[in-house]
Amino acid sequence: MKLKKIRLGDLLIENGLITEAQLKVALNESKKSGKKLGETLIDLDYIDENTIIDVLSEQLGIDKVTTEDIHFEKPLKEILPEKLARKFKVVPVDFKDNEMIVATNDPTNIFMLDEIGRITKKEIIPAIIAKDDLFNALEKIYGTEDRLYKIVSDVENKIVELGSDEEIAKSVAEDSSVVMLVDGIISKAISERASDIHIEPDEDVLRVRYRVDGILHEVLSLSKVLHPAVISRIKIMSDIDIAEKRVPQDGRFKIRKDFKDIDFRVSTLPTNYGEKVVLRILDREQALLDLSNIGMDEYSLSVYKNIIDKPYGIILIAGPTGSGKTTTLYASLNKLNSLEKNIITVEDPIEYNFKLINQVNVDETAGLTFANALRSILRQDPDIIMVGEIRDRETAEISIQASLTGHLVLSTIHTNDAASSIVRLVEMGIEPYLVATSLIGVVGQRLVRKICPYCKVEYKPDAEISAMLGIEENVPIYRGEGCEKCKYTGYQGRIGIYEVMGVGKKIRGVIAKGGSTDDIKQVALENGFRQMRESGFELVKKGVTTLEEVLRVTVIKE
């Protein structure tokens, strides 16, 4: 099948989907970033991927496909070699006699399709597929686990050949097979939507675990002889001292995969069986979330938007580690960011880079603490200040003084809910009247797992659960049965549940008098405050998550 040559930009203009001015901006941005035009248009929010797919499908006369249309039961990887599929980012859909249907996210690339036909000696019938479906299908057809274990065998043989002395770890770490092994572990983690990779030595094994949707799963159990080489390779990538094994170290690196820039924050920790490494995966696209897309319900979102529109005061985002506080902070900065405002952040470490925002990385070894950085920031004529975390009295005091002198200050604090965050500031040694005067709002949050859409089923809860949710008996709710797509967990992805407490006149009065967490919460409830578990229950009733998930992450006091 021969395709006609099409210029995507001209096609979209002809259909009235973008303007010539938008095309010009996108072409310039595409040249700078090296990304394809379609991808750049989507990044700029000029158009969405589904619209591009619909237009190309119609104009080129080709089918749209999803993973549901791919014949996985056939030996697809034998008809289209993995190296070719991954090089050109295409996936085989089906084949018959001398024909092969190949799906791509870029069907305008005629040269690529001709090359695949030449190499495979097949007549190529192109189809178009969404980017996420493309990469999911690649992993399902070609996999990574089998390839990883084959690489593991090669590495083990090499180490046995050279000897397991740790002094040769660096040379082994630069070997192509070790590079492929670490790259494979990282690629598999990305494809499985992991947020963290744990590489940890035990007495006789090297264990690899991924944190997916907040829960750790073991994915590989390797020979302990691989430990020095794997750890050394990660240290080299992260610019960490290979020779130092006695103290914790931090580093970072970035890669580009599947059209996306992905950052990794690396932490090493000496344990009794050797160094453990944790890699935090930081997908830059998550940092560009809009407030309306982070999962906050309409009521909480309206309250929060009213708070961050104020010109000065302190806003706290509260929750334990891994509850999504940084995402909420960055989404808030995205809303506030403009040429008219001087926004400065002090973070430990900087997780994502933003245009127009001046970001400062804490470096305690050089004496640059949160408090010291804040003092300098106040001499930089800021409008908005973001403090990564309020950890101590000194940082809290400077943040409060900044808010009292006309600055909007956003920060996080490690507490269980919104009300206890206020009391925590007082416990740090801040005078209650200063907390009452400066604080304008607190957000408490957690992350809950979402029900897998592929195995979602409804069921009727018992009377006790119905009463807890505030629904009539026999009204169905949902859960996931477990399937291949969700690794039989019943869940896929996460969403936030929130409680947003605006600090108004009545709550200020309670704070100034040194009121307890319960006192503050009681007054807030009388003024329409909705607690986190109520937000969670709403998601249960909407079929987004399960009651078990909400109860797992929230504390319900009798």
Side-chain angles (χ1 to χ4, degrees):
M1 176 181 179
K2 286 290 182 183
L3 294 177
K4 57 183 178 180
K5 290 185 179 180
I6 278 182
R7 287 163 61 101
L8 178 61
D10 294 340
L11 183 61
L12 295 176
I13 288 175
E14 285 172 19
N15 284 268
L17 296 170
I18 62 171
T19 65
E20 290 192 10
Q22 287 175 326
L23 176 59
K24 187 175 180 180
V25 171
L27 286 169
N28 287 334
E29 189 64 30
S30 181
K31 286 178 184 176
K32 291 178 189 174
S33 65
K35 293 182 179 180
K36 293 178 180 176
L37 177 60
E39 187 182 354
T40 304
L41 287 165
I42 294 167
D43 288 345
L44 292 169
D45 285 332
Y46 290 162
I47 197 168
D48 62 76
E49 185 182 27
N50 288 332
T51 303
I52 292 179
I53 287 174
D54 288 340
V55 171
L56 287 175
S57 172
E58 183 178 343
Q59 292 294 321
L60 294 172
I62 60 176
D63 289 335
K64 295 182 291 183
V65 300
T66 68
T67 51
E68 303 297 323
D69 303 308
I70 297 172
H71 294 261
F72 291 111
E73 71 278 1
K74 290 190 176 182
L76 296 173
K77 59 184 174 185
E78 293 176 14
I79 203 75
L80 183 66
E82 179 180 5
K83 188 175 180 181
L84 198 63
R86 292 191 184 275
K87 176 184 176 182
F88 291 120
K89 294 183 173 63
V90 298
V91 62
V93 176
D94 198 4
F95 61 89
K96 184 179 179 182
D97 299 329
N98 198 44
E99 293 182 340
M100 177 166 58
I101 301 172
V102 170
T104 171
N105 193 240
D106 182 23
T108 61
N109 191 341
I110 299 170
F111 302 106
M112 173 262 289
L113 295 169
D114 286 346
E115 183 71 1
I116 293 172
R118 185 186 66 78
I119 295 171
T120 61
K121 295 181 173 56
K122 296 279 185 184
E123 182 183 343
I124 303 301
I125 301 173
I128 189 166
I129 188 171
K131 188 170 67 175
D132 285 346
D133 279 347
L134 168 66
F135 292 114
N136 287 338
L138 279 172
E139 292 308 319
K140 186 163 183 178
I141 293 170
Y142 300 104
T144 53
E145 226 161 290
D146 292 344
R147 189 167 69 255
L148 278 178
Y149 275 115
K150 183 181 183 308
I151 296 169
V152 165
S153 177
D154 293 342
V155 176
E156 284 181 355
N157 291 336
K158 191 154 289 185
I159 290 173
V160 170
E161 195 178 300
L162 294 172
S164 58
D165 191 331
E166 295 216 6
E167 293 302 315
I168 64 165
K170 182 172 181 179
S171 61
V172 176
E174 306 245 12
D175 186 86
S176 61
S177 56
V178 177
V179 171
M180 289 173 64
L181 172 58
V182 173
D183 287 351
I185 290 170
I186 290 171
S187 294
K188 181 175 171 62
I190 293 169
S191 68
E192 293 192 8
R193 303 176 296 103
S195 60
D196 302 86
I197 305 171
H198 290 239
I199 300 175
E200 48 199 9
D202 208 333
E203 186 173 7
D204 51 5
V205 297
L206 179 64
R207 187 173 289 108
V208 179
R209 295 193 289 170
Y210 296 160
R211 187 177 294 279
V212 180
D213 297 334
I215 306 296
L216 276 171
H217 303 276
E218 182 174 318
V219 290
L220 292 170
S221 182
L222 309 175
S223 168
K224 186 75 177 287
V225 301
L226 296 170
H227 178 244
V230 170
I231 299 298
S232 295
R233 174 60 194 161
I234 294 170
K235 284 184 170 183
I236 290 169
M237 295 171 69
S238 314
D239 198 22
I240 291 175
D241 184 359
I242 279 190
E244 181 57 75
K245 300 178 178 67
R246 299 164 299 171
V247 297
Q249 296 186 81
D250 296 308
R252 61 191 306 150
F253 64 91
K254 63 181 177 181
I255 64 170
R256 184 163 178 80
K257 179 175 170 59
D258 300 348
F259 304 115
K260 295 193 296 186
D261 290 318
I262 300 174
D263 291 302
F264 291 81
R265 197 173 75 202
V266 180
S267 172
T268 71
L269 182 73
T271 73
N272 57 329
Y273 292 120
E275 282 183 290
K276 172 180 177 175
V277 173
V278 174
L279 294 82
R280 168 65 56 89
I281 303 173
L282 305 168
D283 186 344
R284 291 186 183 184
E285 288 186 4
Q286 295 299 312
L288 303 177
L289 285 173
D290 186 88
L291 272 177
S292 58
N293 295 331
I294 63 174
M296 202 175 279
D297 61 86
E298 288 185 16
Y299 175 79
S300 298
L301 183 59
S302 65
V303 174
Y304 187 58
K305 283 184 174 179
N306 182 55
I307 293 170
I308 64 172
D309 281 341
K310 293 181 179 178
Y312 57 86
I314 294 182
I315 301 169
L316 293 178
I317 313 296
T321 300
S323 59
K325 299 188 296 298
T326 301
T327 298
T328 303
L329 272 183
Y330 283 154
S332 303
L333 290 181
N334 272 334
K335 182 180 187 303
L336 295 168
N337 196 10
S338 74
L339 280 169
E340 291 75 36
K341 293 175 182 174
N342 178 20
I343 302 177
I344 306 179
T345 74
V346 52
E347 306 172 56
D348 182 22
I350 294 170
E351 294 195 2
Y352 303 99
N353 296 315
F354 286 84
K355 293 178 181 177
L356 296 181
I357 295 178
N358 305 283
Q359 295 173 268
V360 178
N361 203 105
V362 166
D363 185 354
E364 294 193 357
T365 58
L368 185 62
T369 62
F370 276 115
N372 290 340
L374 268 172
R375 289 192 187 94
S376 298
I377 285 170
L378 290 172
R379 294 192 287 272
Q380 291 284 318
D381 186 31
D383 296 297
I384 299 168
I385 301 169
M386 192 271 270
V387 183
E389 182 185 345
I390 291 181
R391 298 176 179 173
D392 51 52
R393 176 178 176 174
E394 189 178 15
T395 306
E397 284 177 339
I398 300 170
S399 299
I400 284 173
Q401 289 304 319
S403 71
L404 293 175
T405 52
H407 304 94
L408 183 65
V409 180
L410 294 87
S411 189
T412 69
I413 191 165
H414 282 246
T415 54
N416 288 325
D417 55 29
S420 61
S421 303
I422 299 171
V423 175
R424 178 74 183 112
L425 289 176
V426 176
E427 290 172 347
M428 283 183 181
I430 308 300
E431 291 292 340
Y433 77 91
L434 286 175
V435 177
T437 307
S438 60
L439 197 62
I440 59 172
V442 189
V443 177
Q445 67 178 80
R446 294 289 191 283
L447 292 175
V448 294
R449 291 180 291 172
K450 295 193 293 185
I451 299 171
C452 172
Y454 300 100
C455 60
K456 183 176 179 179
V457 295
E458 67 175 41
Y459 73 99
K460 291 179 181 178
D462 60 32
E464 185 179 350
I465 290 175
S466 297
M468 183 182 292
L469 293 173
I471 59 176
E472 295 180 10
E473 286 189 47
N474 296 320
V475 172
I477 56 176
Y478 298 84
R479 65 187 170 205
E481 287 192 313
C483 64
E484 184 181 341
K485 289 184 182 290
C486 64
K487 305 292 183 186
Y488 300 97
T489 63
Y491 298 98
Q492 190 177 78
R494 288 192 291 176
I495 191 170
I497 58 173
Y498 301 85
E499 57 182 27
V500 182
M501 182 183 291
V503 180
K505 186 176 179 181
K506 290 184 179 179
I507 292 179
R508 285 197 187 95
V510 177
I511 297 170
K513 292 176 183 176
S516 67
T517 297
D518 289 338
D519 293 335
I520 294 167
K521 190 177 293 183
Q522 183 59 43
V523 173
L525 289 169
E526 291 169 2
N527 285 272
F529 172 62
R530 291 180 61 184
Q531 295 184 83
M532 213 182 306
R533 67 172 179 267
E534 294 177 60
S535 171
F537 289 169
E538 286 301 314
L539 292 182
V540 173
K541 288 186 275 189
K542 289 178 180 178
V544 176
T545 189
T546 64
L547 179 63
E548 290 79 10
E549 263 300 283
V550 175
L551 296 179
R552 180 178 70 85
V553 301
T554 60
V555 178
I556 300 179
K557 292 184 179 180
E558 296 295 338

